Amino acid sequence: MSNAPAEEIPAEEIDLAEANHIIDKYLTLPGNLMPVLQGIQDSYGYVPKPTIDLVAERLNVYPSQIYGVLTFYAQFHLKPRGRYIIRVCVGTACHVQGAERIVETFFGRLGIGHAETTPDLRYTFEKVACLGACGMAPLAMVNDDTYGKMTVQKVDEIVETYNQRPMK
Amino acid sequence: MVNLTINGTQVAVEKDATIYDAAKACGIKIPILCHDKKLHPFGGCRMCLVEVEQMKGRLIPACTTPVTEGMIVQTTTDEIVKARKLVLELLLLKHPIDCPVCDAAGDCDLQNLTFEYKVNTNRFVDEKFNHEIDYDNPLIERDMNRCIHCGKCARICDEIVSYGAYTFINRGIEAKMGTEFDGPLNCEFCGSCVSVCPVGALNSRPFKFKARWWALQKTKSVCSYCGTGCQLTLGTKDGKVLTTVYDENQGFHNGQLCTRGRFGYQFVNSAKRLTTPLVKKNGKLQEASWEEALEVVTSRLSAGKSDPASVAALATPRLTNEELFLFEKLFRGTIGTDNIDHSAGYAHAALTKGAKASFGVAASPSEIADIQKSNLLLVVKSDAYETHPVIGFEMNLGVKRKGIDLRIVSDKKGKLTRLPGAKTTVHTPGSEVALFNALCKSIIDQGLAAEGVAGLAELKAAVADATAEKAGVTAEEIAALAKDYAAAEKALIILPIGLGYPGHDAALANAAANLAILTGKIGKEGCGLLIMGEKNNSQGAADLGIYPKSTGLSASAIIEGCGNGNIKTLFVAGENPVVSYPNRQKVEKALENVEFMVVADLFLTETAQLADVVLPACSFAEKSGTFTSLGRRVQMVRKAVPAVGLAKSDFEILNTLSAAIGGARYNNQAEIFTEIASTVPAYQGLTQGKLGDEGVVLPVTVSAKLVPAVAKAVAPVAGKLALLTGSALYHSGTMSRFGEGPMYVCPTAYAELSMADAASLKIAEGDMVTVTSATGSVQVAAKVGKRVPQGTVFAPYHFGEGSVNSITDGAAVTYVTVAKK
């Protein structure tokens, strides 16, 4: 189409078989873009660029529109995410119970900030507004496991525990 | 009809109208920023808020609210004005007030409304946006700091252009109009987004800092590239064309243009323009005066009168009707030669011969307006979008808005094949006629032919051996397509023709016409055949008889004659045979051989370089006259700037020559139009005054007749690829090479290969490859894509360097080998 120089981005090595499988599943469903993207997010842990091109091609949707959807919803991620997602609540109840110190301790322990991922892809850290369990404030979650009444000491324990867990 | 009251005025409107439409119908202006009559209502900007008696308590957006019976609407109460002022204050909160350096100043809806509503203070304070400005391409500047999120760019790119370059990205305060991965714009660069942007967020870069809006002089004219006949407004200052001005009320296309129309005007003021006559002295072209140059030409032409058979003339269908008429009169009339032609012999035969045989008239029996009125479009070649993009927009709109079925028969895929619901039948190269014959046979066999069609038995016999296999498609595909076509209440066949499409000839027009006639889909609204002539005045050239009528030589025979010495004097008005006619080596040799050649052109083209005399001609912007579009609409071209240098219009050149050798002399071009109106039947009764801004569609009386078409067998050559030639997106002939827009989108010749062939030949995108045929070889850059099927290679024909006519010889398909350089 155009002669605009293509950016020199090394192509990601992504196996598209799973994405194709997800698209097959929803191909004939009206309004299939969301379930397809959610499926890809679940399967790959994020939405890799090659899968966006594939979805655009197979569902005949403009890549720009897919990008618009992906950046609109907080549930989608365009960069690889950690195997373990640590979420610390900084909502009102947790805040008054010292959530900020918990957050700071995690930052220091993991060497990453909010919405960042460790280079070994083990952890992604997120501050969140409320996890819906104010009675257990201050609260942290690692994937689906909940850790209530958090303390600075518990941060070390959690990181130790998940350092031992497998990556797969 | 629905009756309602707006500001005390009674008005009756269609039931699908909105309050905004109703107000407009009775002359009441409601301010808008995000609304556009061409696009679906959006309701984003809240400028059009009005009060409705029946919905008291809140303000209602006029652009999205449908009218209901008895509605009582107020459009300018104190409360409304207050609300609109608030909207403007909020928009101006983030919008930079950099009007002094903004190109949109004077043409900015936000600026005008701020002025109109006297918003001279703002109660709010906030930081401005700090987005990076996209200067990554030379045509469209994207300054998202000025964006007011009306979304028009994204909507027009989706709804009309069907490219989808833009989208809203992110959320809340961070939301902005962006592209895929928020990267630089990388699209077709048609500039539709620029035209509808209500502020200066999207700008035309070629026009940047060239002139203030209000200092531009605006002249309504017609685009001089393809045969669509888009109207455009030229913005000029100090004798130079500086931009094209968007006018949403212009033409069937509502001011929409493609890249070449919008950004291709620079050829007018190109530094490469010829500014003085050139005469060959001592083997070299040297500057000369008009007197000197014309004297040489006059003496040759006068001498030619005694031996008319040795004189030949080629004219480009880019000339005005008046010029073509004068051209015909000079050569066929005064000199008495029938050796006159335009590229018809190669390109427009479908129009001049095919349509004449099938419909009794050398024109499209259908109009452009039929596209949207049809139920099914059968498009030959996916390239219809590349050759005539604004007609492509019409097809996009029809398919997306009205659910018109789109069927494409093509030898490769393209943008059109991706439209929703489009079904593409990919056939083997050069088998278009065979395919249409198979469709006709299928119609007859399935008993779908209309009753009482004359000549059915002959056609049945003629297509008896037509099979789907001959076109390389399955019998089921043909049967289904025939059935769909016959079943559609209204169906229109669209056929692009032009120099790049050697297979799109008279036989194909006949074959396609047969299908329409056989099913009774002719002579009715939304039905028939739209033959898309390549150049801006291809239809005019056919109407005015710029082709040999009896024993004269056609374009190819003229070249032949130049080669063998039968033609001694050749007059070329704007044609560039060296680059555009088949077999470049042969053409070059012939033109070097001809005793005397005059070329009148805007540029020192590859052909002009071989001439004995070169006359500098005027572009469409420097002259007045008429063009006839492929939809048979005659439209006024109006002079917008004075001639460049010493250039003269072809009218002036031909008029002077005609008078000098004892022919007619006219005082002005309008006089010729009067004569055209009295001698060419279709133009009867027309005057230039009657054409107005809209133009006039010529009447057509179709007497349809089945004309069996013979499918030439194209035998594939083992181990070779079939070369398809055609148009690259937004190029038109060889003239678009002098326009910035088309040259940015596609600057050089290329050869497009399928992924499979590229892999087996070990060719990667961008590699230089040598394409070799029996005629010659050429080196171009390779493109690799999904559009071209295996076994074929596509190359556009517009370029002088690596010109594809070096390897073609006029056959529908040329077999070539491709190898890495």
Side-chain angles (χ1 to χ4, degrees):
Chain A
M1 285 290 167
S2 133
N3 64 343
E7 267 183 75
E8 293 291 325
I9 306 169
E12 277 176 89
E13 290 289 331
I14 296 289
D15 180 7
L16 293 173
E18 187 56 30
N20 269 314
H21 178 70
I22 294 162
I23 298 170
D24 288 339
K25 208 158 87 184
Y26 296 106
L27 198 56
T28 54
L29 183 83
N32 49 12
L33 184 60
M34 280 302 277
V36 163
L37 293 178
Q38 282 165 335
I40 289 172
Q41 166 85 36
D42 279 352
S43 171
Y44 293 83
Y46 70 112
V47 184
K49 184 171 188 305
T51 65
I52 297 177
D53 298 335
L54 181 78
V55 172
E57 172 78 25
R58 291 202 56 198
L59 300 188
N60 206 0
V61 182
Y62 307 127
S64 67
Q65 282 182 342
I66 298 177
Y67 186 72
V69 169
L70 291 173
T71 55
F72 182 85
Y73 292 104
Q75 62 176 290
F76 294 117
H77 303 280
L78 289 156
K79 286 194 194 130
R81 304 248 293 161
R83 170 71 181 82
Y84 299 101
I85 314 290
I86 302 176
R87 292 184 289 171
V88 176
C89 178
V90 290
T92 314
C94 292
H95 174 77
V96 295
Q97 292 283 351
E100 221 27 70
R101 280 192 62 201
I102 308 293
V103 169
E104 293 299 329
T105 314
F106 268 114
F107 282 177
R109 193 70 180 68
L110 301 173
I112 54 171
H114 166 65
E116 287 178 3
T117 300
T118 53
D120 64 356
L121 298 184
R122 182 171 285 275
Y123 298 109
T124 294
F125 184 89
E126 282 172 356
K127 290 198 278 188
V128 292
C130 185
L131 288 165
C134 306
M136 295 161 75
L139 186 74
M141 281 184 84
V142 182
N143 290 358
D144 294 330
D145 300 331
T146 311
Y147 298 90
K149 307 278 179 212
M150 278 296 290
T151 62
V152 170
Q153 289 74 21
K154 271 186 168 180
V155 169
D156 281 343
E157 286 167 30
I158 288 175
V159 174
E160 256 335 291
T161 313
Y162 285 89
N163 275 345
Q164 306 307 321
R165 295 272 178 98
M167 276 298 280
K168 287 280 170 191
Chain B
M1 295 300 259
V2 175
N3 300 293
L4 66 158
T5 313
I6 305 179
N7 296 354
T9 310
Q10 288 275 345
V11 56
V13 290
E14 296 288 337
K15 68 174 190 301
D16 58 354
T18 60
I19 297 176
Y20 175 79
D21 299 330
K24 202 173 169 191
C26 61
I28 294 166
K29 187 177 157 247
I30 295 177
I32 45 167
L33 285 169
C34 74
H35 187 68
D36 190 297
K37 65 174 185 178
K38 296 193 291 299
L39 304 173
H40 288 307
F42 185 62
C45 74
R46 317 315 270 185
M47 266 315 283
C48 66
L49 294 173
V50 294
E51 236 175 66
V52 177
E53 186 67 40
Q54 289 86 341
M55 302 186 217
K56 263 279 163 68
R58 64 194 170 100
L59 296 175
I60 307 292
C63 75
T64 53
T65 311
V67 292
T68 52
E69 187 65 37
M71 221 177 211
I72 300 166
V73 182
Q74 289 296 332
T75 69
T76 41
T77 63
D78 289 349
E79 197 193 343
I80 293 169
V81 171
K82 201 173 145 200
R84 288 182 187 158
K85 276 188 156 174
L86 174 65
V87 169
L88 288 168
E89 274 180 292
L90 291 171
L91 286 174
L92 293 167
L93 183 58
K94 285 289 186 184
H95 187 86
I97 315 296
D98 60 350
C99 309
V101 290
C102 180
D103 275 291
D107 183 37
C108 172
D109 294 348
L110 182 62
Q111 192 185 48
N112 293 345
L113 286 170
T114 303
F115 180 80
E116 187 182 333
Y117 283 86
K118 306 178 187 74
V119 184
N120 54 357
T121 56
N122 201 332
R123 288 168 289 165
F124 312 105
V125 186
D126 197 5
E127 274 177 43
K128 302 291 181 188
F129 289 122
N130 191 20
H131 298 304
E132 209 174 306
I133 301 171
D134 178 4
Y135 291 120
D136 217 66
N137 69 81
L139 300 173
I140 299 173
E141 173 191 294
R142 291 193 307 135
D143 182 350
M144 287 305 119
N145 301 307
R146 291 177 182 153
C147 175
I148 58 163
H149 296 194
C150 72
K152 278 204 240 178
C153 51
R155 283 180 287 143
I156 201 159
C157 197
D158 168 20
E159 292 176 35
I160 299 184
V161 184
S162 263
Y163 189 89
Y166 294 105
T167 187
F168 276 107
I169 59 174
N170 297 323
R171 219 175 7 165
I173 194 69
E174 280 166 11
K176 67 168 185 173
M177 291 313 302
T179 57
E180 181 193 356
F181 284 90
D182 203 9
L185 195 60
N186 187 8
C187 62
E188 295 172 358
F189 298 101
C190 68
S192 295
C193 51
V194 177
S195 69
V196 293
C197 182
V199 292
L202 299 171
N203 290 307
S204 157
R205 289 192 72 189
F207 178 56
K208 194 143 174 83
F209 297 140
K210 287 277 162 56
R212 298 315 327 219
W213 179 258
W214 47 87
L216 283 177
Q217 199 182 334
K218 296 167 188 97
T219 310
K220 287 183 178 183
S221 194
V222 180
C223 180
S224 72
Y225 281 110
C226 76
T228 308
C230 298
Q231 298 183 8
L232 47 78
T233 302
L234 293 173
T236 60
K237 188 172 166 267
D238 303 332
K240 285 204 161 67
V241 178
L242 296 181
T243 188
T244 48
V245 178
Y246 170 63
D247 175 358
E248 64 166 6
N249 297 318
Q250 241 183 335
F252 73 90
H253 48 99
N254 296 313
Q256 279 284 104
L257 295 172
C258 69
T259 285
R260 57 183 181 230
R262 194 181 315 281
F263 295 122
Y265 56 83
Q266 296 98 330
F267 76 92
V268 173
N269 295 112
S270 165
K272 292 180 187 152
R273 278 284 299 273
L274 286 168
T275 52
T276 163
L278 304 172
V279 174
K280 196 173 254 176
K281 292 175 201 158
N282 308 324
K284 268 179 82 178
L285 284 170
Q286 295 183 8
E287 292 192 2
S289 68
W290 271 103
E291 291 73 25
E292 190 186 348
L294 286 176
E295 203 183 296
V296 184
V297 181
T298 311
S299 68
R300 278 301 301 204
L301 292 183
S302 318
K305 275 167 85 175
S306 54
D307 183 14
S310 74
V311 180
L314 294 167
T316 172
R318 294 206 190 282
L319 300 184
T320 63
N321 285 322
E322 294 72 12
E323 289 165 344
L324 290 170
F325 183 85
L326 192 52
F327 177 87
E328 205 252 354
K329 201 162 170 143
L330 171 63
F331 288 97
R332 184 170 283 136
T334 312
I335 296 176
T337 176
D338 194 30
N339 303 332
I340 64 172
D341 207 351
H342 58 301
S343 12
Y346 298 118
H348 306 133
L351 195 69
T352 47
K353 295 200 196 97
K356 181 93 185 163
S358 289
F359 306 119
V361 50
S364 290
S366 307
E367 297 169 34
I368 293 171
D370 284 314
I371 294 173
Q372 303 254 17
K373 293 175 187 159
S374 192
N375 300 117
L376 182 142
L377 301 175
L378 177 58
V379 185
V380 182
K381 274 237 167 100
S382 57
D383 281 8
Y385 185 84
E386 268 88 340
T387 57
H388 298 76
V390 175
I391 290 192
F393 295 164
E394 288 292 297
M395 294 193 243
N396 289 343
L397 279 171
V399 170
K400 289 183 146 182
R401 291 239 173 108
K402 302 194 171 149
I404 296 175
D405 277 334
L406 182 61
R407 298 285 182 274
I408 298 153
V409 292
S410 182
D411 44 23
K412 66 177 186 354
K413 294 194 170 182
K415 186 176 162 188
L416 278 183
T417 58
R418 287 188 65 82
L419 283 181
K423 284 188 192 153
T424 310
T425 306
V426 178
H427 58 80
T428 49
S431 65
E432 287 91 348
V433 178
L435 184 112
F436 270 97
N437 281 349
L439 282 172
C440 286
K441 181 172 161 34
S442 181
I443 295 270
I444 297 170
D445 290 350
Q446 293 188 65
L448 299 169
E451 275 176 38
V453 179
L456 182 62
E458 288 87 343
L459 184 71
K460 196 174 172 182
V463 299
D465 62 346
T467 57
E469 288 74 49
K470 286 185 180 166
V473 295
T474 63
E476 290 75 38
E477 249 181 307
I478 289 289
L481 180 56
K483 207 169 163 184
D484 286 350
Y485 179 81
E489 192 194 335
K490 292 179 275 184
L492 179 68
I493 303 174
I494 296 178
L495 174 68
I497 55 172
L499 273 163
Y501 300 90
H504 291 198
D505 55 7
L508 179 57
N510 296 143
N514 288 343
L515 183 65
I517 298 166
L518 205 51
T519 48
K521 292 188 176 30
I522 187 80
K524 287 189 293 193
E525 191 177 70
C527 288
L529 179 61
L530 193 63
I531 305 174
M532 305 206 295
E534 186 185 27
K535 307 275 166 60
N536 51 304
N537 203 19
S538 290
Q539 183 60 52
D543 291 343
L544 296 165
I546 309 300
Y547 49 85
K549 285 192 168 158
S550 55
T551 55
L553 304 177
S554 67
S556 54
I558 289 173
I559 298 295
E560 201 80 37
C562 290
N564 63 27
N566 289 344
I567 298 295
K568 298 196 166 51
T569 302
L570 177 67
F571 190 99
V572 180
E575 286 274 271
N576 189 6
V578 172
V579 177
S580 59
Y581 288 15
N583 200 340
R584 179 170 182 159
Q585 294 85 329
K586 196 177 115 189
V587 174
E588 269 176 331
K589 240 180 170 165
L591 297 184
E592 278 162 14
N593 187 55
V594 69
E595 235 177 71
F596 184 77
M597 175 163 75
V598 195
V599 174
D601 208 316
L602 308 182
F603 299 97
L604 193 65
T605 60
E606 292 78 357
T607 303
Q609 287 165 23
L610 303 177
D612 297 286
V613 176
V614 179
L615 305 174
C618 286
S619 70
F620 79 112
E622 299 149 62
K623 63 190 179 189
S624 293
T626 57
F627 290 157
T628 308
S629 80
L630 64 93
R632 307 191 314 274
R633 188 181 289 273
V634 190
Q635 304 183 106
M636 275 306 288
V637 180
R638 296 184 183 86
K639 182 172 174 166
V641 286
V644 171
L646 297 177
K648 286 182 194 287
S649 70
D650 290 82
F651 161 74
E652 291 172 283
I653 296 170
L654 294 166
N655 202 25
T656 313
L657 289 173
S658 172
I661 63 166
R665 186 188 178 89
Y666 295 88
N667 293 316
N668 53 55
Q669 55 81 27
E671 242 177 59
I672 304 185
F673 193 81
T674 316
E675 196 169 327
I676 293 175
S678 63
T679 51
V680 181
Y683 292 72
Q684 211 142 45
L686 282 182
T687 61
Q688 286 192 346
K690 273 190 198 164
L691 299 179
D693 285 343
E694 283 295 297
V696 169
V697 175
L698 297 176
V700 67
T701 320
V702 176
S703 60
K705 193 175 116 201
L706 290 173
V707 179
V710 180
K712 284 185 212 136
V714 179
V717 180
K720 291 199 171 183
L721 300 174
L723 173 72
L724 311 171
T725 61
S727 289
L729 182 67
Y730 295 149
H731 275 281
S732 173
T734 60
M735 191 174 76
S736 51
R737 293 180 295 163
F738 299 96
E740 195 173 329
M743 285 310 274
Y744 176 68
V745 180
C746 177
T748 52
Y750 62 85
E752 191 173 348
L753 291 151
S754 69
M755 286 168 143
D757 289 327
S760 70
L761 295 166
K762 299 199 170 48
I763 291 168
E765 174 100 15
D767 283 350
M768 281 306 280
V769 292
T770 308
V771 187
T772 312
S773 75
T775 314
S777 75
V778 66
Q779 290 184 336
V780 288
K783 261 191 172 189
V784 180
K786 287 182 180 163
R787 301 168 9 135
V788 189
Q790 197 175 353
T792 56
V793 53
F794 171 77
Y797 84 95
H798 320 276
F799 305 95
E801 194 96 341
S803 68
V804 72
N805 69 338
S806 306
I807 52 172
T808 59
D809 62 356
V813 187
T814 306
Y815 286 89
V816 295
T817 53
V818 181
K820 213 162 158 174
K821 188 182 166 185

